[in-house]
Amino acid sequence: MARWNAGMSLLLVAVVVALHALLPTATAAAAAAALQEGFYKSNTNCTVDVEATVASVVQQYVSADRGVGAGLIRLHFHDCFVKGCDGSVLLDASPGNPDPEKASPSNGGLRGLDVIQDAKRRLESACPGTVSCADILAFAARDACNILSAGAVNYGVPSGRRDGLASAASDASQGLPPPTAQLDRLTELFTGKGFTADELVTLSGAHSVGRAHCASFARRIRPNVSATMDAEFGARLQRQCPADDGAVAVDQDQATPADLDNRYYENVLAGKVLFDSDWALVSDNSTRQMVADNAADQARWAAKFIDAMRKMGALDVLTGDQGELAALPILLSWIVVASSESQLQVGYYNRTCPRAEDLIRNVVHAAIRRDPGNGPGLVRLFFHDCFVRVSRRRPPPPLASIHSNQHNSVPPPAETMQQQAVFVCMQGCDASVLLDSAPGSNATAVEKASQANNPSLRGFGVIDRAKRVLERRCRATVSCADIVAFAARDASELMGGGMIGGFAMPAGRRDGRVSNASEVLDNLPGPFADAAVLVASFAAKNLTADDMVTLSGAHSFGRSHCSAFSFRLYPRLAEDMNATYGGYLRTRCPAAAATAGRRRDRVVDLDPTTELLLDNQYYRNVQTGEVLFTSDATLLSQNDTAALVDLYARNRKLWASRFAAAMVKMGHIGVLTGSQGEIRKFCNRVN
C-alpha cells in the first residue's frame, strides 16, 4: 500500500505541475512568439551574417577540442533552465552581485564561455550593440550539436532574445537537476518548464558527449559499485577515478565519447552510465520504453532532440524592450554590472578626438621598430598598471550628508562616522604606474619604485610621446590610462605575427591620483608563485584560471633579469626545468659567488625560440620545461591548467583570439570613469 500511495503521489504531483506548465503567462507566451528565424537579417542593419560568424567561431574551438562543443550544449541548458534563455549564466560576480549563477555548485566546470566571448567580440566590431549574448549562446549550442552529430542534429534557431540583468546562484541550485536526482525530481523540474516525460528522456541524450568529474558520481562506485551499474563498467571507473581525487574527469559515454548520438540510451539500458539521474530513466516502465525506442532509432531520436532544443530555446525569453543588449565585446558579466566599468565603450574618442587610436598606434609602431623590446614592455606595463589595485581612502562626507534630518538633533553614531572616514575605493587600470614621486617626497612612495617594477619596467617614454602628440591635437581629452591600454593592444598586434588582430579596446578610463609602492607586491603575482597562488591572485581581479593561463602567454616575448629566477638554477636545477636549458641559463647567469662585487644583473630572453614574437611557442616551452619562472612551470601542476597549456600549444589561432579577449577583460579592472579621477596633462604627474 505504501508503494501504491507513493506512486499515486508522484503521479498527482506530475499532473499538477504539468497542468501548471500548460498555463504560461501571457507575457512569456508573447515573448516566445516574438522570436523569429533570421531575426538579424530582417530586423537589423548588421553588415555581417550573424549566425555564420558564430558558427565560424564555434567550428574553430570545437575543431581544436570537441569537449568545448559538449560544454556549449550544457551552457545553453544551464542558462535556459534557470531564469530562461537570457544569458544570465554568463554573469561574473560583481560588487553588486557577489553570488551569480556561475557560483552555484550546480554550475561547476562550465565550459564554452570563451567561445561566447570571442563571438561577441567579433560581432561587436561589425554590429555594435546589436546581437544579444543570449542569442549567441543559442546559436553556439545549435552549431555544437551540428558538429558533434556530423550534421544529424541541425536546426533553425528563432532569435531576438534580449539579455537579462539578474543572476543568482540560489536559482541555479534550485532549478537545475542534480546528478543524484531520481525520476520524481527530474519529472518535477522538467514538467515545471513545460516539458513532457518524453522530452525529458530525449534531452538527456546530450549526456552522450562531454565529461564529468569523478566527485559527481563517486557514491556510485565507492565503497562498492552500485547495484544499478554494470559491474565491469564500475570497476573501470574505479580505476579511472582515484579515491583521493574527485577532480579527475571521465567521458560520460565511453563508447562514442566525441559523438552526439543515441549510444547514450544503449548505455542506460546496459547500466553503463555515470549518474543516478541517468539510471533513473529506466526505473519506471514508461520512461524505460522511451529509452529503448531512442536506442533503436537514431534518426527518430535526432528529430525529437531538435524539437526539444528549439522548445528549450524559447523558455522565458526577454524580447522587445525587456532586458538589454550587451554593448561591449566581452562577456555580459562585464557590461551589466551597475558600476563605472559599464561606462567604457568601443570608439569612445570617435567624436572628441577622432584619430586618437591611430595616433597612438603610429607612435607605438615607430617605437617598436626602433627597439623591439618596447613591445613586450608596453604589454607588461598595461598588466602592471591594471593588476595593482590601489587603495584610495575617501574623506568622511559632510555631517549634513550623514545626518540629513534637520529636525533630529541626535548625532550620528561614532562607528558610522568612522566607517565613512575609512571607506576605501579600489582602482586598477588608472595609469597609477606612470606617476613619478612628487618633488620633495619619499622617492620610494610610487609604484614605479617597487622592486617589482624598477628597473625592469619599460615603455614610459612611448606613453609620454603618445601623450604629447595627443595633447597637441586634442587637449585634455585622452587619458593616460587609455593610452596605456591602446598601446598594449597595438604592441600585441604588431608583435603577434599577424595572429592577434587590432581588437576593439573599450575606452573612457580616467587617470588616478594615487600611486603606492606598498600596493605592488601585494597585488602582482611573483615569478615564484605556484598555481594556487596564481589562481587566487587572478580571481581577486575577477579573472578566471583560464584567463590566467591565457595571459601567461605574454611570456612568449620579452626579457628577464637573472635575479628573478636564479633560485631555480642554484644550488641545483629545479626538478621541473629541462637540464639542457638549465645548463644554458647557467652560462648566461653565473652563480652569485662568481659575480661577487659586480653590480650587473644580466638579462635573458623569456622565450629561447621566438624571442621577438608574441605567439603560442610559450606553451610548448612550458611542456618541455624550458621556462624561467616557477609561475610558468606550475601551469602543468593542475589538470585544468595543463589541459589549456596543451590546447594552446597545438592551436595558435585559438590562443590568439582568447588572448585578445583576456586583454580586454583585464582592461576593466577597477577603472575610473565619468567625474572620477582626472585627465592628466602629463602622464608622469597629477594635475
Side-chain angles (χ1 to χ4, degrees):
M1 179 65 71
R3 181 178 297 176
W4 182 87
N5 287 339
M8 288 299 293
S9 298
L10 172 59
L11 177 60
L12 288 172
V13 169
V15 169
V16 170
V17 175
L19 286 173
H20 177 74
L22 293 175
L23 300 172
T25 64
T27 300
L35 300 182
Q36 64 181 86
E37 291 189 36
F39 177 85
Y40 292 102
K41 291 182 179 178
S42 58
N43 293 280
T44 68
N45 294 320
C46 198
T47 57
V48 299
D49 188 325
V50 171
E51 296 189 45
T53 299
V54 175
S56 174
V57 174
V58 173
Q59 180 69 56
Q60 172 189 338
Y61 281 77
V62 177
S63 294
D65 181 359
R66 289 176 74 86
V68 174
L72 288 168
I73 298 170
R74 179 178 180 233
L75 191 63
H76 185 42
F77 178 90
H78 282 225
D79 183 40
C80 295
F81 234 70
V82 178
K83 295 185 68 65
C85 306
D86 65 347
S88 56
V89 73
L90 304 176
L91 287 165
D92 284 341
S94 69
N97 184 30
D99 207 24
E101 291 173 37
K102 274 185 184 177
S104 168
S106 300
N107 278 325
L110 284 179
R111 298 189 68 186
L113 299 169
D114 289 344
V115 182
I116 308 304
Q117 177 173 340
D118 196 355
K120 178 64 175 173
R121 178 175 59 83
R122 297 190 193 190
L123 289 169
E124 282 297 311
S125 297
C127 316
T130 302
V131 186
S132 69
C133 296
D135 275 343
I136 293 173
L137 184 48
F139 294 144
R142 180 268 312 276
D143 298 331
C145 288
N146 181 32
I147 296 169
L148 297 180
S149 69
V153 178
N154 194 22
Y155 51 93
V157 175
S159 52
R161 299 167 187 80
R162 303 265 292 180
D163 297 321
L165 302 175
S167 182
S170 58
D171 290 334
S173 299
Q174 296 169 11
L176 292 171
T180 57
Q182 299 300 315
L183 188 59
D184 56 349
R185 179 58 175 158
L186 293 173
T187 301
E188 179 184 2
L189 289 170
F190 275 76
T191 55
K193 300 295 182 184
F195 288 106
T196 66
D198 191 44
E199 288 167 333
L200 154 62
V201 175
T202 298
L203 286 170
S204 297
H207 282 185
S208 71
V209 290
R211 294 166 67 82
H213 289 104
C214 295
S216 62
F217 57 88
R219 71 176 196 168
R220 282 175 49 81
I221 60 173
R222 286 194 173 86
N224 301 305
V225 175
S226 170
T228 63
M229 180 181 285
D230 176 83
E232 183 180 347
F233 180 69
R236 185 194 313 161
L237 291 176
Q238 287 179 332
R239 293 191 297 271
Q240 293 175 334
C241 296
D244 59 349
D245 190 355
V248 173
V250 301
D251 293 320
Q252 296 198 76
D253 174 359
Q254 302 207 357
T256 57
D259 300 328
L260 179 61
D261 57 17
N262 68 332
R263 181 59 186 254
Y264 164 79
Y265 299 100
E266 296 178 33
N267 296 340
V268 174
L269 292 170
K272 298 181 179 181
V273 284
L274 302 183
F275 305 135
D276 289 320
S277 59
D278 295 320
W279 172 84
L281 301 184
V282 294
S283 65
D284 176 86
N285 287 337
S286 62
T287 53
R288 183 184 182 88
Q289 185 58 52
M290 296 170 191
V291 170
D293 291 342
N294 287 336
D297 193 334
Q298 159 81 9
R300 184 168 181 267
W301 167 76
K304 292 196 300 179
F305 188 78
I306 286 172
D307 290 340
M309 287 292 285
R310 283 171 60 92
K311 182 174 180 178
M312 185 177 71
L315 284 178
D316 298 325
V317 294
L318 304 175
T319 59
D321 58 357
Q322 299 171 316
E324 70 170 20
L325 292 178
L328 297 181
I330 45 181
L331 284 180
L332 183 62
S333 56
W334 290 94
I335 297 150
V336 175
V337 178
S339 71
S340 61
E341 297 178 9
S342 65
Q343 297 177 29
L344 299 187
Q345 59 183 272
V346 175
Y348 181 83
Y349 295 106
N350 285 352
R351 288 188 300 162
T352 56
C353 192
R355 294 196 59 236
E357 294 190 45
D358 290 337
L359 293 171
I360 295 170
R361 182 177 292 108
N362 292 341
V363 171
V364 169
H365 284 199
I368 293 175
R369 283 192 292 269
R370 287 194 304 271
D371 180 358
N374 280 318
L378 289 167
V379 175
R380 183 171 178 234
L381 189 65
F382 181 46
F383 181 92
H384 281 227
D385 183 39
C386 293
F387 234 69
V388 176
R389 299 190 67 168
V390 179
S391 302
R392 181 163 54 92
R393 293 177 179 268
R394 291 179 178 173
L399 185 60
S401 67
I402 301 176
H403 180 56
S404 58
N405 187 345
Q406 298 180 6
H407 301 289
N408 188 342
S409 59
V410 180
E415 60 185 19
T416 301
M417 295 189 68
Q418 183 180 14
Q419 290 169 356
Q420 294 285 346
V422 299
F423 178 81
V424 173
C425 175
M426 303 299 289
Q427 56 196 64
C429 303
D430 67 343
S432 55
V433 74
L434 306 180
L435 289 173
D436 290 334
S437 296
S441 68
N442 184 346
T444 64
V446 294
E447 292 172 43
K448 271 185 183 178
S450 168
Q451 66 186 71
N453 289 328
N454 183 38
S456 60
L457 209 56
R458 300 186 61 180
F460 298 109
V462 182
I463 303 301
D464 289 341
R465 169 63 179 162
K467 181 63 174 176
R468 289 195 297 271
V469 171
L470 288 165
E471 283 297 307
R472 289 196 294 268
R473 187 177 186 89
C474 316
R475 187 177 299 276
T477 301
V478 183
S479 69
C480 298
D482 278 342
I483 295 174
V484 171
F486 290 140
R489 183 266 311 275
D490 299 335
S492 299
E493 176 188 13
L494 183 60
M495 303 198 74
M499 294 300 296
I500 301 175
F503 53 91
M505 176 64 74
R509 301 166 187 81
R510 303 264 293 180
D511 299 322
R513 300 187 179 96
V514 180
S515 183
N516 296 322
S518 60
E519 306 274 2
V520 176
L521 293 179
D522 291 337
N523 283 271
L524 286 175
F528 44 81
D530 62 19
V533 171
L534 290 173
V535 170
S537 179
F538 276 68
K541 310 297 186 296
N542 283 332
L543 296 172
T544 66
D546 285 10
D547 295 324
M548 181 267 289
V549 178
T550 303
L551 289 169
S552 295
H555 283 183
S556 70
F557 66 170
R559 313 190 85 189
S560 171
H561 285 90
C562 293
S563 58
F565 58 89
S566 59
F567 66 94
R568 285 171 46 81
L569 304 179
Y570 303 101
R572 60 179 60 87
L573 288 182
E575 293 181 358
D576 53 18
M577 180 177 284
N578 177 284
T580 302
Y581 181 61
Y584 160 74
L585 291 177
R586 282 179 166 177
T587 66
R588 296 289 303 161
C589 302
T595 58
R598 303 178 191 175
R599 293 181 177 275
R600 185 184 178 194
D601 187 1
R602 293 184 177 180
V603 293
V604 297
D605 294 317
L606 290 169
D607 177 355
T609 306
T610 58
E611 65 275 8
L612 293 179
L613 190 62
L614 177 58
D615 61 6
N616 66 331
Q617 177 63 41
Y618 163 79
Y619 299 99
R620 301 189 189 104
N621 297 342
V622 172
Q623 292 178 317
T624 58
E626 297 178 90
V627 285
L628 300 183
F629 308 133
T630 300
S631 58
D632 296 320
T634 194
L635 299 184
L636 296 181
S637 67
Q638 295 187 354
N639 289 339
D640 54 346
T641 55
L644 269 181
V645 169
D646 180 64
L647 177 61
Y648 290 158
R650 292 183 285 108
N651 194 321
R652 178 181 176 186
K653 187 175 181 181
L654 175 62
W655 168 76
S657 66
R658 291 187 179 183
F659 181 80
M663 288 283 282
V664 171
K665 186 174 181 181
M666 184 173 68
H668 284 72
I669 296 175
V671 296
L672 304 176
T673 60
S675 61
Q676 300 171 319
E678 65 183 10
I679 304 295
R680 293 184 208 148
K681 297 176 182 177
F682 301 95
C683 288
N684 65 336
R685 63 177 186 263
V686 298
N687 293 340

